[in-house]
Amino acid sequence: MTTVLIGEVSRRSGVSARMLRHYESLGLVRPSGRTGSGYREYSAGDIRRIFHIESLRSLGLSLREIGRALDDPGFTPSALIGDLIRQTRDRIAAETELLTRLRRIRVADPGGWEDVLQIVALLQALGSKSADARQRAVLSSGDEVPVEALVEAALSETEPNVAGALRWALARSDDGAQALLAEGFGSPVAAVRERAVQALVELPGDQAAAQLRDALAHPDAVVRGYAALALGTRGVADAVPALVDMIVEGRNDTDAADALSVLAGDTATADGIAARLVDRLADDTSRAPARGRLTQALADIPGTTASRALVELSHDEDRAVALTAAYLLQLRDAR
């Protein structure tokens, strides 16, 4: 039987002689023999076992687990591999969280270690299990918490008071929150998308308005609705189609009608809104409840287009629609 000495084994396997002796002390590898001078001799089988040990170490197994895997005939790898997967995921999550925290501290550009410690304390408070502690941290943070941390907290916060404080803090933060919140629209979780748009509508400026305009085409009706209401109250006519859709569908239809009345302050826009409402009234897919809401929405739309529509609707086959239109005409005449 051909054997080799420990130095040659170390060269072939890449395992140091010191580690090979450690494996021997643990009973993982037992050299097949010794020379007359006392040097360890390893057989081909010993070398294969060393490679097996290194392979299992590369998977994250401990030396104790490796010993069981190699020596216990009844040992099955499936459970252990499952544990290793979970441990690896936990380790990756922990490392990712640490990396995120370090990046946020760097973005904050602390002037000294006292600043670093203060930022760390605030970040830890934002992650507290206590809603009161989270709210206090937000309200006392000033400009010290990086905007990325505020956005992440806002997208995950479920407690209304804390969520409100986070939106307040974001509205006072520097530019950058708009794009980060808009990324939340792509979340597969509906609640996260809703929190993102709720925070975005409270941000001032053209950049937030641009993100809200993009949100008008979002497939999530809740996102579209928040964006349309915010833009409508700001006088952005692009919101009109989405607001009319909300009235038809009965989603926040009263708020949508109020937003349309704000937009109708401009004569040309008022006629366009009235024409769109009339078109939807004539749509065969608009059922009785929707037609009633659309008629009611004409109440605060000034101009001849809305007036003519109400006159026609006062003779509508749907008695509820006709009565609503007649009542609204009386109110208009009394003004």
Side-chain angles (χ1 to χ4, degrees):
M1 179 179 66
T2 303
T3 60
V4 294
L5 301 181
I6 190 170
E8 180 64 15
V9 173
S10 177
R11 187 186 67 80
R12 290 186 186 182
S13 65
V15 182
S16 68
R18 181 178 180 180
M19 184 59 74
L20 289 172
R21 295 188 189 97
H22 181 55
Y23 289 169
E24 182 180 350
S25 70
L26 297 176
L28 286 173
V29 180
R30 296 179 179 84
S32 298
R34 289 181 178 266
T35 66
S37 303
Y39 292 104
R40 296 170 176 80
E41 292 182 319
Y42 293 84
S43 66
D46 296 332
I47 295 174
R48 281 196 303 273
R49 186 176 174 91
I50 291 169
F51 279 112
H52 292 163
I53 292 170
E54 293 305 300
S55 295
L56 293 176
R57 279 188 68 193
S58 72
L59 297 179
L61 272 69
S62 68
L63 293 179
R64 180 179 179 181
E65 290 167 335
I66 291 171
R68 286 186 59 206
L70 294 178
D71 297 331
D72 183 355
F75 182 81
T76 56
S78 57
L80 182 57
I81 295 298
D83 288 340
L84 288 172
I85 290 173
R86 286 188 290 273
Q87 292 169 14
T88 302
R89 285 174 176 166
D90 291 343
R91 185 171 65 252
I92 291 172
E95 293 292 334
T96 301
E97 182 179 352
L98 175 60
L99 180 60
T100 299
R101 182 169 295 186
L102 290 171
R103 285 173 173 168
R104 287 172 179 165
I105 293 172
R106 183 176 65 182
V107 169
D109 194 21
W113 286 112
E114 287 297 325
D115 294 337
V116 171
L117 294 174
Q118 187 173 10
I119 295 169
V120 170
L122 286 169
L123 292 175
Q124 289 175 332
L126 283 176
S128 171
K129 293 182 179 180
S130 166
D132 288 341
R134 297 197 301 275
Q135 186 173 17
R136 286 195 300 270
V138 176
L139 296 177
S140 64
S141 63
D143 298 328
E144 294 158 355
V145 177
V147 68
E148 293 89 347
L150 289 175
V151 169
E152 181 180 343
L155 295 182
S156 61
E157 184 58 61
T158 58
E159 210 288 323
N161 290 335
V162 184
L166 285 162
R167 292 196 296 270
W168 169 82
L170 284 169
R172 297 172 63 247
S173 65
D174 294 333
D175 290 343
Q178 296 89 341
L180 292 171
L181 287 170
E183 290 178 6
F185 295 165
S187 171
V189 181
V192 172
R193 298 195 297 269
E194 182 173 356
R195 293 178 198 128
V197 71
Q198 283 179 319
L200 188 60
V201 299
E202 296 189 19
L203 299 187
D206 294 338
Q207 188 176 353
Q211 298 287 2
L212 290 172
R213 279 191 177 91
D214 291 341
L216 292 173
H218 198 279
D220 187 333
V222 173
V223 173
R224 293 197 307 272
Y226 275 108
L229 290 173
L231 291 171
T233 54
R234 297 180 191 183
V236 180
D238 292 349
V240 170
L243 292 170
V244 174
D245 286 343
M246 292 172 68
I247 293 171
V248 172
E249 295 161 12
R251 293 182 294 102
N252 288 6
D253 52 288
T254 302
D255 292 335
D258 289 342
L260 287 176
S261 68
V262 172
L263 288 165
D266 175 75
T267 302
T269 304
D271 287 340
I273 292 171
R276 183 173 286 273
L277 291 170
V278 170
D279 287 343
R280 296 303 294 270
L281 277 159
D283 193 333
D284 291 338
T285 62
S286 294
R287 298 182 179 179
R291 297 186 80 247
R293 291 190 294 268
L294 289 165
T295 302
Q296 185 65 47
L298 286 165
D300 293 320
I301 308 300
T304 57
T305 303
S307 296
R308 285 197 302 267
L310 288 172
V311 169
E312 292 181 10
L313 289 168
S314 66
H315 304 288
D316 196 86
E317 294 179 357
D318 186 325
R319 181 168 175 76
V321 169
L323 289 173
T324 299
Y327 175 70
L328 294 177
L329 281 172
Q330 291 177 5
L331 292 179
R332 291 170 85 90
D333 291 339
R335 290 175 184 172

